């Protein structure tokens, strides 16, 4: 492997948190092949796309190690569907190291699906190609929608087959993340009463993600509040865009505030807060409408993990945790209502905004209206001077909306709405069709889908079908973790 122009990795996690992970070299594959390379992301990161194109098969499958690599598997714990699991970790992922982009931002380079690690338990350490592609497609779509997320640099096929719901080619995803430190990482050291390790982790995380807070007199409190704010903003954005994460376990909650782990996630089509896609979420714990509450629950687990560091006096520590949770709730609510105002073209703040929004959503639930396209219909109705939907109930709401809009210029209002309301989201039937084709060797539908999703707010003539909900014969959609 020629190393001229190869990415040279740094490794602050490996060097500063010695003892908090397991050094681990990925086993590599005999016949890896580069299937997808995100050249745009490579360039943003200051990496040479040509080098990656040439050497990515080996370098991004763990078959040959990049210069500077200190590969490792991270350990974490986590609350899964409400139950604490004291021992999780990178069971099918290996952290190669970090790159610093031209703006000075540091990112982890992680290979997901690169083989077994000391934390694989009974798993095979592999990922199926369709699950790697799914994460690639959805994470890049989220990025294009402006939502904080881990990103996807490449997918390599491994040359092996993996047995899941179906037998599929194996794939390795190169995940790029602000970091992979999770609420569950804190929980791991807290549950083992490793206070000094916990302290080191808090210090490292603050310096890496919230450098302005690094010298705070109470670092644990500063981290709790900072993560509370960034997670609240993240969940609010999911609620605005109609995204169902599907598996909000504490090991899938980043301290950076990025969306992570695109397993059973999906976008809601017909608006309904009870929407659940994940096959294993029998009770709807992670239903669309529950996400703000679960976000708060997860933050409470983080606060518990940090309790001993927050204050010596337990009552005082609990008070700090409660304060942070209150702030979380208010931030989600405030950010969401703000976002909803923008989606409806409302300028300024009015006491009636909350019920105006809620009544629209209730109407959507009753009429099973497609959430995403509804906002585009509303803006079009302003331009055309018509009414977006039929029926008396809607007409009554429409009148209230118009009276709130007042004498704002309809064209300008519509344009402002269109800047925040996407035309294209990941439609379930489209991604399923693309993945089915991809595992049969046809990347055409995947490439076209990604092309559409890279410009979600722009009308793309000839691609109207990508804006439409699934046809009735697609049936109820369900997703699986595909681990
Ligand atoms: P996830 O559902 O992706 O959040 O993963 C939950 C846990 O299961 C993590 O500790 C993963 O590392 C582990 N895991 C998932 N899939 C596999 C696999 N194929 N082999 C080994 N461990 C896995
Ligand atoms: Mg996970």
């Amino acid at each position: 492997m020629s190393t001229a122009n190869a990415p040279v990795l740094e490794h602050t996690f490996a060097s500063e948190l010695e003892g908090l992970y397991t050094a681990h070299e990925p086993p590599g594959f005999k016949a890896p092949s580069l299937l997808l390379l995100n050249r745009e992301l490579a360039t943003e990161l200051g990496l040479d796309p040509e080098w990656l194109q040439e050497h990515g098969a080996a370098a991004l499958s763990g078959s040959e190690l990049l210069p500077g690599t200190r590969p490792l598997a991270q350990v974490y714990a986590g609350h899964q569907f409400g139950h604490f699991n004291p021992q999780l970790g990178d069971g099918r992922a290996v952290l190669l190291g970090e790159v610093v982009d031209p703006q000075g931002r540091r990112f982890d380079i992680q290979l997901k699906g690169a083989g077994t690690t000391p934390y694989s338990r009974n798993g095979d350490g592999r990922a199926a190609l369709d699950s790697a592609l799914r994460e690639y497609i959805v994470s890049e779509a989220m990025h294009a929608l402006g939502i904080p997320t881990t990103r996807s640099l490449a997918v390599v096929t491994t040359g092996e087959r993996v047995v899941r719901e179906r037998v599929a080619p194996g794939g390795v995803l190169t995940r790029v993340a602000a970091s992979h430190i999770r609420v569950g990482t804190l929980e791991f050291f807290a549950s083992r009463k490793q206070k000094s390790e916990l302290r080191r982790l808090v210090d490292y995380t603050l310096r890496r993600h919230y450098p302005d807070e690094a010298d705070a007199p109470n670092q644990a409190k500063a981290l709790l509040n900072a993560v509370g704010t960034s997670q609240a903003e993240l969940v609010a954005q999911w609620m605005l865009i109609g995204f169902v994460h599907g598996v909000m376990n504490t090991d899938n909650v980043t301290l950076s505030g990025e969306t992570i782990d695109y397993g059973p996630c999906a976008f809601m089509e017909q608006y309904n807060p009870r929407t659940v896609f994940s096959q294993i979420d029998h009770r709807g714990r992670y239903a669309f409408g529950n996400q703000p509450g679960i976000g708060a629950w997860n933050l409470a687990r983080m606060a518990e993990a940090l309790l001993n560091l927050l204050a010596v006096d337990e009552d005082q520590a609990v008070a700090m945790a409660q304060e942070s949770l209150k702030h979380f709730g208010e931030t989600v609510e405030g950010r969401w209502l703000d976002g909803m105002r923008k989606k409806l073209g409302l300028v300024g703040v009015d006491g009636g905004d909350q019920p105006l929004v809620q009544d629209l959503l209730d109407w959507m639930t009753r009429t099973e209206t497609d959430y995403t396209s509804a906002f585009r219909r509303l803006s079009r109705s302003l331009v055309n001077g018509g009414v977006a939907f039929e029926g008396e109930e809607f007409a009554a709401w429409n009148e209230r909306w118009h009276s709130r809009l007042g004498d704002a210029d309809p064209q300008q209002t519509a344009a402002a709405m269109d800047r925040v309301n996407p035309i294209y989201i990941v439609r379930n039937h489209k991604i399923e069709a693309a993945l089915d084709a991809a595992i049969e060797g046809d990347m055409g539908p995947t490439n076209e889908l990604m092309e559409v999703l890279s410009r979600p707010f722009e009308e793309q003539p000839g691609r109207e079908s990508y804006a439409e909900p699934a046809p009735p014969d697609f049936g109820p959609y369900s997703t699986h973790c595909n681990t």
Side-chain angles (χ1 to χ4, degrees), residues 330-350:
E330 289 166 356
T331 307
V332 178
E333 196 56 35
R335 183 76 170 70
W336 177 81
L337 188 53
D338 243 30
M340 275 294 174
R341 286 192 184 99
K342 291 203 177 77
K343 285 174 83 69
L344 291 174
L346 309 179
V347 178
V349 172
D350 184 284

Side-chain angles (χ1 to χ4, degrees), residues 305-344:
L306 294 178
L307 213 58
N308 284 327
L309 298 187
L310 285 174
V312 183
D313 178 67
E314 199 181 314
D315 290 344
Q316 211 182 331
V318 170
M320 284 177 192
Q322 282 168 342
E323 184 62 32
S324 190
L325 283 167
K326 184 163 161 259
H327 175 71
F328 179 92
E330 289 166 356
T331 307
V332 178
E333 196 56 35
R335 183 76 170 70
W336 177 81
L337 188 53
D338 243 30
M340 275 294 174
R341 286 192 184 99
K342 291 203 177 77
K343 285 174 83 69
L344 291 174

Side-chain angles (χ1 to χ4, degrees), residues 130-151:
D130 48 335
S131 85
L133 288 174
R134 199 176 145 78
E135 172 154 349
Y136 190 121
I137 295 167
V138 186
S139 65
E140 287 304 302
M142 290 285 273
H143 173 74
L145 289 165
I147 298 173
T149 175
T150 64
R151 299 197 58 190

